[in-house]
Amino acid sequence: MRLRSWLVVSISAALLLAIGAVGVSVNRSALRAAETVHRADTLALATNNGGLVEQLLMLSVKELNDFVTGRPLRLTPGDAGDRAALVEYARKSTFFTYGLTITDLTGNPINATKPADEFPDQAATGWQSLISGLAVGKPGFSALMTVKDALVQAVAVPIVVDGAPVALIYGFIPARKNQLQVYLEKLSDSSHLSLVVDAGGTVGASSDPDAVGTVVDSAIIDKLGSREPVFVTYHAGGHSMIAAVHGGLPGGWAYVRTQSTATFDGPIRNRSLTINLALLTMLLVGVAGLAVLGYRSQLVRRRAEERFAALVEHAPDVVTVLDREGAVVYSSPSGKRILGFVAVGSSVFDLLAPDDRQHVRDRFAALLAERGGLERMQVRVLQADGNHRWFDFTASNQLHNAALNGIVINARDITDSREMQDRLAHDAHHDPLTGLPNRRRLQERLTASLQHTPVGVLFVDLDGFKPVNDELGHEAGDELLRQVGERLSSCLRPSDVLARVGGDEFVLLLPGVVGGGDAEALAVRLRAVLAEPFDVAGHEVRIGASVGLHLAGPGEDPDEALRTADQAMYAAKRGPDRPGRHRAG
């Protein structure tokens, strides 16, 4: 009897040990998969936000370039007109609200919006990265510099006259009141801190405004030059910390996302530890008998499932498991909250926007062929109301894993981030004043059209625009340019392209136009439309326009086509009252 009892106890202990070992193995596998996805997502987010920071830096360069190319400057020391233009630009600028200066190529001052002692000293070390950028023909971005308790960053571009640089213009961005600071404060989250730091490690923008001007840990500084996102671990204030660093941005700047290791790894590991302890407890209880073993096993398993369900239910991401055919066999509760319906039983391909389905099928097939493979993609997922939201998918092939037996997808809603990217992309290709395509977008459309079709190119320059600016002010001039853009747009076909290429110059592209008759008729109509009076700030304003016409044949160089139309426009200014014309030979 005693032997039988020990045998029962031994069998019970062995069974419980086996169950415990399986449970620990499954829990450890799920933990590794979750940590892998979590780290990959964090680095991807750092890369994405670092890219947005870089785009904002380059937008500041574009704004500075637009100013110097859109308004001729006299560039004589102390010129009152140049200073007035700089002051007006600083007042309206999105970025350079602190002020601007102009120097010659050797650094001698020419003009500025305020006295020299209110700008950074020329001996400040923060200038080094800006000078290095200009030396290799790139825009210059300085590190942070202090002026009378104000923390500023400088951006510099050359002023080019007749194809050669003759001077430098510097725009100064206040660190505590700029676009980056506004953007990061919108991203603020109590679990982590988002920072934008210069090459020396000084914080220029932060989701916590009080961190601006502080210096990050030396371990982070050592990785600021890395263009690939990396993790950095360090200690601060007695706490273990982890930071995702995306460096190598213009001027040596970097994006940093830092938080305590406890908040980074804690929730996942704490749940794993709880389950492991429960399994060990089951092992000790098992020696008391098979009945107790069964009871405790069921109880702990149920609690573990409840904990997992609670964790998944309140997670912001959507966790989905697919079978080999792409059918959804499991979807976390957050999926219904975001999409508005339960996806279980549906094909994942039917849940995607039609344009994304074939691409995802190809990536899905590649994932099935690779044991333990990992695929990342950004796709649009349809909601119950027919709209779509952007998700970042991280798909892992866990078909070989008996605990999962499927393709595990971790989906994060990135709609807000994508919309911001789209807005930045739109701003990079459109004129901020009129909303029309800018010169870059015009070049792309002309290049694409000339590959297979002739294009009529009309170069329009306003006559009498400068007196409006001088007499009524630049705001009136801006309003006049917007009205000119609207009138020119009303004359176009759906396939035509209208762009503002700078100042009071506009270019129209007429794809498919072969004969000069239609183009000349349009040129005459444009001149007539622009000759009608404009109502600007309560004043009746009359202007004219000189139009240059060039008929470009397929295969013609786009730059040459624009130059020829520009020359025809100048010929029209000097010649009789008709559009200048040039036909491709």
Side-chain angles (χ1 to χ4, degrees):
M1 187 66 178
R2 183 177 297 176
L3 180 60
R4 175 182 291 182
S5 298
W6 278 112
L7 184 59
V8 170
V9 170
S10 299
I11 293 175
S12 300
L15 289 174
L16 184 55
L17 182 60
I19 294 173
V22 171
V24 170
S25 176
V26 171
N27 187 43
R28 186 174 298 170
S29 177
L31 174 63
R32 284 196 297 267
E35 287 184 334
T36 299
V37 171
H38 180 44
R39 285 179 168 262
D41 284 348
T42 301
L43 290 180
L45 183 61
T47 299
N48 183 65
N49 286 338
L52 293 177
V53 170
E54 183 171 5
Q55 291 184 49
L56 282 174
L57 290 174
M58 297 313 296
L59 279 177
S60 70
V61 172
K62 178 182 180 299
E63 182 184 295
L64 203 56
N65 269 323
D66 287 347
F67 169 69
V68 298
T69 57
R71 178 184 177 89
L73 299 171
R74 296 182 181 87
L75 300 179
T76 56
D79 184 87
D82 284 359
R83 185 178 185 278
L86 290 173
V87 171
E88 177 69 11
Y89 171 54
R91 186 178 68 82
K92 294 182 178 181
S93 174
T94 303
F95 297 94
F96 308 112
T97 56
Y98 184 82
L100 301 103
T101 64
I102 300 177
T103 72
D104 62 20
L105 297 179
T106 61
N108 296 316
I110 296 177
N111 220 322
T113 59
K114 57 179 71 174
D117 62 353
E118 295 189 28
F119 291 104
D121 190 278
Q122 292 297 321
T125 58
W127 293 104
Q128 294 177 358
S129 59
L130 182 146
I131 295 171
S132 299
L134 292 174
V136 296
K138 297 181 179 179
F141 297 91
S142 78
L144 291 170
M145 296 177 286
T146 302
V147 185
K148 296 183 176 180
D149 298 328
L151 202 60
V152 298
Q153 178 201 2
V155 179
V157 298
I159 300 175
V160 179
V161 177
D162 296 330
V166 298
L168 298 172
I169 184 168
Y170 301 81
F172 294 87
I173 303 172
R176 293 180 172 86
K177 298 179 181 179
N178 59 64
Q179 294 295 310
L180 280 176
Q181 183 61 36
V182 172
Y183 169 66
L184 289 185
E185 287 186 26
K186 288 182 179 179
L187 294 180
S188 62
D189 189 296
S190 59
S191 66
H192 67 269
L193 189 64
S194 294
L195 309 169
V196 177
V197 301
D198 65 15
T202 302
V203 178
S206 171
S207 55
D208 176 9
D210 294 337
V212 176
T214 62
V215 178
V216 298
D217 190 90
S218 59
I220 296 177
I221 295 176
D222 292 341
K223 298 296 183 180
L224 294 181
S226 173
R227 289 198 61 85
E228 293 296 327
V230 296
F231 280 112
V232 176
T233 56
Y234 62 101
H235 286 81
H239 298 284
S240 175
M241 307 292 289
I242 184 167
V245 180
H246 179 71
L249 301 181
W253 287 74
Y255 172 81
V256 178
R257 183 179 189 271
T258 183
Q259 63 188 114
S260 68
T261 305
T263 60
F264 185 78
D265 291 325
I268 297 176
R269 293 189 175 180
N270 287 343
R271 294 296 182 185
S272 174
L273 179 60
T274 300
I275 295 174
N276 286 339
L277 289 176
L279 293 172
L280 292 175
T281 302
M282 288 169 55
L283 176 61
L284 296 176
V285 173
V287 298
L290 186 58
V292 176
L293 170 66
Y295 173 78
R296 294 293 295 175
S297 296
Q298 294 174 9
L299 180 61
V300 172
R301 186 179 297 110
R302 184 167 61 252
R303 288 178 178 175
E305 290 173 352
E306 289 172 353
R307 291 189 186 100
F308 176 77
L311 180 63
V312 172
E313 180 178 359
H314 296 94
D317 295 351
V318 180
V319 179
T320 304
V321 180
L322 311 178
D323 63 15
R324 288 181 175 273
E325 305 302 321
V328 179
V329 297
Y330 170 79
S331 180
S332 61
S334 54
K336 181 179 180 181
R337 184 174 65 250
I338 296 174
L339 302 180
F341 62 91
V342 177
V344 175
S346 304
S347 170
V348 70
F349 308 114
D350 294 337
L351 305 179
L352 306 177
D355 293 343
D356 292 344
R357 291 174 183 172
Q358 188 56 49
H359 172 67
V360 175
R361 285 183 184 277
D362 295 340
R363 300 287 291 274
F364 186 80
L367 185 63
L368 288 176
E370 182 181 357
R371 176 186 172 95
L374 195 69
E375 290 280 350
R376 292 186 61 92
M377 64 196 85
Q378 293 185 354
V379 298
R380 292 163 293 178
V381 179
L382 298 174
Q383 295 179 286
D385 59 6
N387 295 321
H388 72 262
R389 296 190 68 82
W390 279 97
F391 280 83
D392 183 50
F393 274 16
T394 301
S396 174
N397 184 347
Q398 297 296 318
L399 288 167
H400 61 284
N401 189 327
L404 299 171
N405 191 28
I407 303 297
V408 180
I409 295 179
N410 184 280
R412 172 168 294 179
D413 189 337
I414 59 169
T415 304
D416 293 342
S417 176
R418 284 295 300 237
E419 289 176 350
M420 177 170 286
Q421 291 181 35
D422 293 341
R423 286 196 297 272
L424 292 174
H426 178 274
D427 292 345
H429 290 84
H430 289 78
D431 172 46
L433 177 63
T434 63
L436 297 173
N438 58 15
R439 181 180 291 273
R440 178 189 299 176
R441 183 60 175 162
L442 175 75
Q443 288 276 13
E444 294 174 354
R445 292 292 299 272
L446 181 57
T447 300
S449 297
L450 285 177
Q451 291 178 358
H452 52 78
T453 185
V455 179
V457 183
L458 294 176
F459 206 107
V460 180
D461 182 80
L462 304 183
D463 299 330
F465 175 77
K466 187 176 184 301
V468 177
N469 259 348
D470 295 341
E471 296 174 11
L472 301 181
H474 292 294
E475 291 186 358
D478 291 345
E479 174 59 24
L480 178 57
L481 289 174
R482 283 190 285 268
Q483 293 188 30
V484 167
E486 292 172 358
R487 288 195 185 181
L488 293 178
S489 298
S490 68
C491 299
L492 302 183
R493 304 171 302 174
S495 61
D496 297 338
V497 178
L498 170 64
R500 180 184 176 217
V501 296
D504 58 350
E505 295 179 336
F506 297 81
V507 172
L508 293 86
L509 304 182
L510 313 175
V513 172
V514 178
D518 292 341
E520 288 181 352
L522 178 58
V524 171
R525 182 183 177 194
L526 295 179
R527 295 178 68 246
V529 165
L530 296 180
E532 294 293 324
F534 293 83
D535 181 4
V536 178
H539 297 270
E540 182 179 289
V541 174
R542 290 182 179 273
I543 60 172
S546 298
V547 182
L549 166 62
H550 173 57
L551 300 178
E556 183 173 341
D557 179 69
D559 291 332
E560 184 61 31
L562 288 173
R563 282 194 295 270
T564 305
D566 189 21
Q567 293 166 1
M569 181 273 294
Y570 279 106
K573 275 186 177 292
R574 298 190 297 268
D577 188 19
R578 59 184 178 84
R581 180 178 173 188
H582 183 276
R583 180 186 296 273

